[in-house]
Amino acid sequence: MSTLSPAVHLLFPLVAGETRLVIPLEETVLSAALKPASDRSQRLIVFVHGAASNASRWEEFVDTTALSQRWTLVRFDLRGHGASPARRPGRLENYADDIAAVIGAAGAHGPIVVVGHSLGAAAALVSVSYTHLRAHETSQDL
């Protein structure tokens, strides 16, 4: 587990209904916010910001979208961005691990959508491919 902690002075503001998540990983600790669906559904949308940005990029959208009635919304700072520290430069594979950790911390058991902007879109694509490859390797081991 990481001995790092979120950079408190860089925490993005929460919108109404959100709670802060702190997700410790081996080389970082991710700062995230979760807004549960009004209907308590298990559907999840994860929002991933672009390079040189942070989760505040999605603040207005999360605050105003009607999607929060039927989807749990999560936004977070990728490692090395905002309040999520990093010991080394980020790589897409690390960002894919970040996305997987956020999905795990959100506890969703239904459909999952990952929405990314710029670097976040690339990380989302790698995350889907990377997760698929790991799932395939695991099924090969059975």
Side-chain angles (χ1 to χ4, degrees):
M1 286 300 197
S2 174
T3 58
L4 297 172
S5 59
V8 176
H9 65 288
L10 296 176
L11 289 173
F12 54 87
L14 299 177
V15 300
E18 279 186 318
T19 56
R20 180 134 357 245
L21 298 176
V22 175
I23 306 165
L25 301 176
E26 188 174 318
E27 294 184 351
T28 190
V29 58
L30 301 175
S31 175
L34 182 139
K35 185 174 185 178
S38 300
D39 71 357
R40 300 178 193 209
S41 73
Q42 293 295 309
R43 292 177 290 245
L44 176 68
I45 302 176
V46 178
F47 295 95
V48 190
H49 62 79
S53 188
N54 66 12
S56 66
R57 168 68 54 207
W58 300 103
E59 182 177 341
E60 182 179 1
F61 184 83
V62 168
D63 192 31
T64 60
T65 184
L67 286 171
S68 63
Q69 294 172 11
R70 301 190 63 206
W71 291 79
T72 294
L73 308 179
V74 178
R75 59 193 177 111
F76 72 102
D77 290 339
L78 289 166
R79 66 180 71 202
H81 295 78
S84 297
R87 292 189 172 126
R88 298 182 251 203
R91 297 179 48 219
L92 286 175
E93 291 81 5
N94 298 126
Y95 298 145
D97 288 340
D98 294 350
I99 293 168
V102 168
I103 291 169
H109 300 290
I112 299 167
V113 175
V114 181
V115 177
H117 169 255
S118 185
L119 172 67
L125 289 172
V126 171
S127 176
V128 171
S129 300
Y130 196 51
T131 302
H132 175 73
L133 289 174
R134 285 186 285 174
H136 181 71
E137 289 170 2
T138 301
S139 67
Q140 293 289 324
D141 293 338
L142 295 178

